[in-house]
Amino acid sequence: MEIDYRLAFNMAPVGLVLSRNRGIVDCNQHLCEMFGATREQLIGQSFQILYPSADEYERIGARMLPILNAKGHYADDRIMKRVDGRLKGETFWCHVTGRALNRAAPHESGIWTFEDLSSRRPVKAELTAREREVAAHLMDGMTSKEIGRALVISHRTVEIYRARLMRKYKASTTADLVHKLMEG
């Protein structure tokens, strides 16, 4: 039996994207449904269209570059934004995994998967871009010092953002905050 790879790409149970220089070369139907857009709205666009802000797009791109260089692949949970449809502009937690086809030039071309986590982890509080980044690292179990190194900010600044998150989520401890972030 011959395998129809195009059909497998289109029918995959996760959002799939083929990329070139952080632009969308091709995507499957699941990705379109997840972001509330048509293929025509996405193909040829920068990934920036899927982010809540241009700043987050730039910072995440810079953060993943050395990891893609070293390992050839990258994964994280981040907040993304729906492009169109009835949920246009809505933010949601998304698990993103990618592989660079050329580790020496990781953004040159790659394949990416997107999994919508909103049914398990809704976004309940309005967070700033930096709060979203700190929250994602906290959920990975990182300390303030580790987060500070990853985001190139001081650990004291991370602690200020953590305190803001604790107020917004009405958490009494960091463990309680992480639990509430996981729930949404």
Side-chain angles (χ1 to χ4, degrees):
M1 180 173 115
E2 189 174 323
I3 297 173
D4 182 347
Y5 288 100
R6 184 74 202 167
L7 180 63
F9 179 82
N10 285 327
M11 300 303 290
V14 295
L16 291 174
V17 174
L18 299 176
S19 69
R20 185 168 295 119
N21 299 315
R22 296 191 78 197
I24 301 168
V25 174
D26 199 2
C27 61
N28 69 354
Q29 186 59 36
H30 193 85
L31 185 96
C32 293
E33 291 166 4
M34 186 183 316
F35 286 94
T38 64
R39 286 183 77 241
E40 293 74 25
Q41 287 174 295
L42 296 176
I43 292 176
Q45 294 290 323
S46 163
F47 275 116
Q48 184 176 332
I49 194 173
L50 308 178
Y51 283 81
S53 71
D55 189 45
E56 285 172 274
Y57 166 78
E58 293 299 333
R59 282 205 304 252
I60 289 174
R63 184 174 70 221
M64 74 171 85
L65 196 58
I67 297 167
L68 281 168
N69 269 328
K71 298 180 179 178
H73 57 89
Y74 179 85
D76 70 13
D77 290 351
R78 64 180 76 148
I79 291 183
M80 303 296 285
K81 179 187 75 179
R82 306 215 195 266
V83 174
D84 207 352
R86 66 180 179 81
L87 300 175
K88 181 179 182 174
E90 177 189 77
T91 56
F92 65 101
W93 281 101
C94 190
H95 180 72
V96 180
T97 306
R99 178 167 301 279
L101 300 182
N102 176 4
R103 283 171 65 173
H107 288 316
E108 180 180 82
S109 60
I111 185 161
W112 296 87
T113 66
F114 293 79
E115 181 186 358
D116 185 343
L117 302 176
S118 60
S119 65
R120 298 190 304 262
R121 186 187 301 167
V123 177
K124 290 184 182 170
E126 282 297 318
L127 303 178
T128 67
R130 188 61 90 179
E131 287 170 342
R132 287 190 286 268
E133 288 180 323
V134 170
H137 286 304
L138 284 170
M139 289 186 297
D140 286 341
M142 294 173 76
T143 65
S144 291
K145 286 185 179 180
E146 292 168 330
I147 295 169
R149 280 193 295 275
L151 298 178
V152 194
I153 58 176
S154 79
H155 72 279
R156 293 193 190 283
T157 302
V158 172
E159 289 168 3
I160 290 168
Y161 284 108
R162 185 175 43 79
R164 287 182 190 167
L165 288 165
M166 289 175 73
R167 274 194 306 276
K168 287 182 177 184
Y169 280 87
K170 297 178 176 53
S172 54
T173 65
T174 300
D176 185 33
L177 173 62
V178 170
H179 176 75
K180 289 179 177 187
L181 285 167
M182 293 291 199
E183 289 180 335

